[in-house]
Amino acid sequence: MRRYVLFASILVLTLICASLLAGCGSRQSAILGAWQLTGDVDELGLLSFFAFVDRIEFLKDGTFVLPNFMNMSGSYSFPDKGKITFQTTSYGSTTYDYELSGDTLTFYESGTPIVFERAK
């Protein structure tokens, strides 16, 4: 009986870990690729992470590149559902709310939407 309980506990923990990892992986795979800014971000000001970003590329290894802004790069992660964190050596760590709907990726900075379309 003791072995059964131990086996069942290990199985449940394994399934929980697998489902958590699968959820993060699906968010990452959906965002992979290049995205092009569709609007104007001048109202955000020069201190905004998006102030000079008109294109962003998300890579499989958890990094991103801003090819039109000195090829700046860093890492990204999903701390919670609907949130993405960018980490760079220059700007540190910043977390944004985001929505992904088909080929439209929207970040929110201080309530202001920053809309990107999947680059073709």
Side-chain angles (χ1 to χ4, degrees), residues 11-110:
L11 181 61
V12 168
L13 287 173
T14 302
L15 291 173
I16 290 171
C17 289
S19 67
L20 289 173
L21 291 174
C24 291
S26 64
R27 282 184 269 178
Q28 182 179 7
S29 64
I31 206 170
L32 292 179
W35 298 83
Q36 187 68 42
L37 182 67
T38 62
D40 187 13
V41 292
D42 289 344
E43 66 188 63
L44 295 175
L46 296 177
L47 296 179
S48 167
F49 175 79
F50 295 102
F52 303 102
V53 176
D54 61 351
R55 185 177 176 94
I56 188 167
E57 296 177 18
F58 293 96
L59 307 174
K60 287 181 185 179
D61 64 357
T63 61
F64 69 91
V65 177
L66 306 176
N68 298 337
F69 185 60
M70 301 180 295
N71 269 340
M72 183 199 293
S73 63
S75 62
Y76 66 95
S77 61
F78 302 98
D80 294 308
K81 185 175 182 178
K83 298 202 178 290
I84 187 169
T85 298
F86 294 101
Q87 176 74 40
T88 66
T89 54
S90 303
Y91 291 96
S93 178
T94 309
T95 301
Y96 295 97
D97 292 328
Y98 82 97
E99 292 177 348
L100 178 59
S101 178
D103 288 339
T104 303
L105 174 59
T106 306
F107 299 102
Y108 295 91
E109 183 171 331
S110 302

